[in-house]
Amino acid sequence: MVLNGAYLYAVLGKSGLREWADYAKWAAEAVFEHVRKTEFPAAYSRLTSHFFFADFADGRRLFETAWGEESEEEKAAFRLFEVEVDDPSPQRRDMSLYDEAYDALEGSRDLQKAAACARTYFSGEQSADPFWELLSERPARILREVSGVLR
């Protein structure tokens, strides 16, 4: 699966579509979904969930981490909203564990390490430097846009 993904990445890269072919991302999502389905069936799926942050500081941290080196045009496309989630108990997960699994698959294609990260993620445990995200499969209502304060 990982090698096929690497091939797809190379082909789409030559076609100018590389952003759609991040094999390590899709391999990490597949590993996480397999672990969730087989070991944590009550956990929300990353594939069908909405992702939220508990506070503005975490949203800003994602913006600075993920978009810090992007062009001004790409940064302007990033939008952040304050929302109300119709879920009394969204599931809190450490996004750093997903990033660690991604790195394991991108670098050494270490499926065992990626699966271990998924187990830790879905058990609700945390890494040494947690970055919390909230998952919910319930609807959310936008209260207001807060993107402007990022720039």
Side-chain angles (χ1 to χ4, degrees):
M1 173 182 71
V2 174
L3 292 176
N4 287 341
Y7 174 73
L8 178 65
Y9 181 75
V11 170
L12 290 175
K14 289 181 181 179
S15 303
L17 300 170
R18 182 158 290 169
E19 66 274 6
W20 293 101
D22 187 345
Y23 74 91
K25 176 186 182 355
W26 299 115
E29 293 293 1
V31 169
F32 271 57
E33 187 62 9
H34 174 75
V35 168
R36 185 199 65 79
K37 278 186 171 180
T38 59
E39 300 177 35
F40 301 91
Y44 288 148
S45 170
R46 288 180 51 84
L47 301 178
T48 57
S49 288
H50 304 284
F51 294 81
F52 304 99
F53 296 106
D55 58 39
F56 180 78
D58 284 340
R60 177 181 275 294
R61 181 177 171 193
L62 177 66
F63 176 77
E64 291 170 351
T65 302
W67 295 80
E69 297 179 14
E70 301 299 325
S71 71
E72 289 305 314
E73 182 180 332
E74 290 170 315
K75 285 181 184 180
F78 184 90
R79 298 178 70 192
L80 186 64
F81 298 92
E82 181 180 348
V83 298
E84 183 175 81
V85 182
D86 186 25
D87 189 340
S89 53
Q91 296 177 357
R92 183 173 171 234
R93 303 287 183 241
D94 180 2
M95 187 169 44
S96 297
L97 294 163
Y98 177 83
D99 293 342
E100 189 177 330
Y102 174 94
D103 292 343
L105 292 168
E106 182 183 48
S108 60
R109 298 185 177 142
D110 187 342
L111 290 170
Q112 297 304 319
K113 182 172 183 178
C117 289
R119 285 183 190 95
T120 305
Y121 178 92
F122 286 113
S123 71
E125 296 175 43
Q126 68 187 57
S127 65
D129 184 24
F131 189 0
W132 298 109
E133 61 188 0
L134 301 174
L135 278 70
S136 177
E137 293 180 336
R138 304 269 183 94
R141 184 172 60 88
I142 295 174
L143 301 176
R144 65 186 177 107
E145 184 172 356
V146 294
S147 304
V149 296
L150 293 172
R151 293 169 183 86

